[in-house]
Amino acid sequence: MTARIGVITFPGTLDDRDTQRAVRAAGAEAVPLWHRDKDLKQADAVVLPGGFSYGDYLRAGAISRFSPVMETVIEQAKAGMPVLGICNGFQLLTESHLLPGAMLRNNHLHFICRDQKLRVENADTSWTTDYETGQEISIPLKNIDGRYVADERTLDMLEVEGRVAFRYLVGGEAAEGYGNPNGSLRDIAGITNEAGNVVGLMPHPEHAVEPLIGTGRTDGLGFFTSILKKLVNA
Amino acid sequence: MARVVVDVMLKPEILDPQGQAVQRALPRLGFEGIADVRQGKRFELEVEGPVDDAALSRIHEMAETFLANTVIEDFTVHVDEPAEARS
């Protein structure tokens, strides 16, 4: 029996298939989940993939946050189930208040799509143990609502508690994927909750798990191997 | 049916690049003297039944939990006067 990792599809989700593929590339079983279904089908962990759920018409992730499946995800996440939110999934986690802060329109108002360099700031979360703290990785970034904001007190709390999980690498040439791509406060690309089981980030690890596609590197695979190890050893 | 309006605005301390883009375009179009623009959202709700305190309280709750994200946005709720009363 291998670990079962659920991947939720909402109307407007784009990256569910890539995420399922990434889960399988890591050696786990991908369990497709439907947003109207409260049942997580015995998934041991859940990924909220990227896209534009419900068209992002109200705010990114705001409508999907009230879908039936999210009732179960919120309850289980609070009980310790690992949850990873990628891009729209990250927006959904902030709208659900599983992670603090909010996501806003990029400061330059453009959709951005590029390979993005990141620094792993916390390699102790459920999804990052196969990295090392301080490790630099490159994975694709593609969004228009990627600007992370929170009030100063929350930002200070995240820093002090080591809950900034990923930061955009600044310095170097923008064309090479360096720099803050969207105006996120303190160059934050991703954060974790206090327990380390819930992680959200804007860039897309699931698009960098096979050498043939994406960045040509497999820097994103570590997310899925990390969670697999955690679940198998649990 | 009565109409209730919910206005949602980004909090003053939150950068509003959409408002800034509009503001920067104004002088180019010949509209001078606008120091700042902030862009918000307006929801017009057609309410069945009376708009009493209980209904307004429900709408307030709706705005707080769903229409606005209070981490980044403020909102106001007001009852819109009917069109015939305005003319």
Side-chain angles (χ1 to χ4, degrees), chain A residues 106-125:
Chain A
N106 294 344
N107 58 345
H108 44 71
L109 300 177
H110 296 289
F111 188 93
I112 190 163
C113 180
R114 72 183 196 194
D115 294 340
Q116 176 67 46
K117 289 189 162 61
L118 303 176
R119 187 169 53 241
V120 180
E121 302 277 27
N122 182 340
D124 289 325
T125 77

Side-chain angles (χ1 to χ4, degrees), chain B residues 21-42:
Chain B
V22 173
Q23 193 255 335
R24 281 197 301 271
L26 292 175
R28 219 167 50 225
L29 302 173
F31 300 105
E32 303 290 343
I34 305 298
D36 191 27
V37 175
R38 293 184 69 78
Q39 180 176 320
K41 287 180 204 152
R42 174 186 165 105

Side-chain angles (χ1 to χ4, degrees), chain A residues 58-59 66 95 104 107 147, chain B residues 14-15 17 41 66-67 69:
Chain A
L58 178 57
R59 292 178 308 278
F66 291 98
E95 284 286 341
L104 282 163
N107 58 345
R147 176 165 53 111
Chain B
I14 302 274
L15 171 73
K41 287 180 204 152
F66 187 48
L67 299 181
N69 177 348

Side-chain angles (χ1 to χ4, degrees), chain A:
Chain A
M1 270 277 286
T2 183
R4 291 166 64 83
I5 300 179
V7 179
I8 302 177
T9 301
F10 300 91
T13 296
L14 303 174
D15 296 324
D16 42 348
R17 294 298 185 93
D18 286 43
T19 306
Q20 291 169 22
R21 196 180 170 84
V23 165
R24 288 193 295 268
E29 187 183 344
V31 181
L33 299 173
W34 182 235
H35 70 116
R36 284 173 67 178
D37 220 345
K38 275 191 181 182
D39 182 13
L40 298 185
K41 298 183 183 167
Q42 279 120 35
D44 306 299
V46 162
V47 183
L48 310 173
F52 296 88
S53 56
Y54 291 87
D56 282 352
Y57 286 126
L58 178 57
R59 292 178 308 278
I63 299 178
S64 43
R65 175 250 175 279
F66 291 98
S67 62
V69 75
M70 283 306 293
E71 280 181 44
T72 317
V73 169
I74 291 169
E75 188 187 294
Q76 293 294 311
K78 286 179 176 168
M81 182 183 71
V83 178
L84 175 68
I86 303 167
C87 199
N88 198 228
F90 184 19
Q91 295 157 344
L92 184 45
L93 289 175
T94 62
E95 284 286 341
S96 309
H97 304 298
L98 286 172
L99 293 174
M103 308 301 305
L104 282 163
R105 187 61 46 99
N106 294 344
N107 58 345
H108 44 71
L109 300 177
H110 296 289
F111 188 93
I112 190 163
C113 180
R114 72 183 196 194
D115 294 340
Q116 176 67 46
K117 289 189 162 61
L118 303 176
R119 187 169 53 241
V120 180
E121 302 277 27
N122 182 340
D124 289 325
T125 77
S126 300
W127 301 89
T128 55
T129 50
D130 269 357
Y131 297 101
E132 282 168 29
T133 298
Q135 186 177 343
E136 297 181 359
I137 61 173
S138 179
I139 58 177
L141 175 83
K142 54 182 177 93
N143 64 68
I144 192 164
D145 291 301
R147 176 165 53 111
Y148 180 76
V149 299
D151 60 28
E152 285 295 310
R153 223 186 50 180
T154 305
L155 292 169
D156 288 341
M157 180 215 30
L158 290 173
E159 303 270 12
V160 168
E161 296 181 2
R163 287 170 53 187
V164 176
F166 308 93
R167 235 184 276 267
Y168 298 116
L169 269 181
V170 294
E173 294 301 316
E176 293 174 12
Y178 285 99
N180 184 327
N182 46 34
S184 283
L185 296 180
R186 303 198 193 178
D187 304 322
I188 288 173
I191 56 174
T192 180
N193 67 343
E194 207 176 351
N197 63 311
V198 179
V199 171
L201 80 166
M202 286 314 293
H204 291 259
E206 80 283 13
H207 294 326
V209 298
E210 289 162 307
L212 192 61
I213 53 169
T215 54
R217 301 161 62 154
T218 57
D219 289 7
L221 191 59
F223 283 80
F224 305 97
T225 54
S226 295
I227 190 62
L228 178 61
K229 264 187 207 162
K230 183 187 164 62
L231 294 173
V232 170
N233 294 334

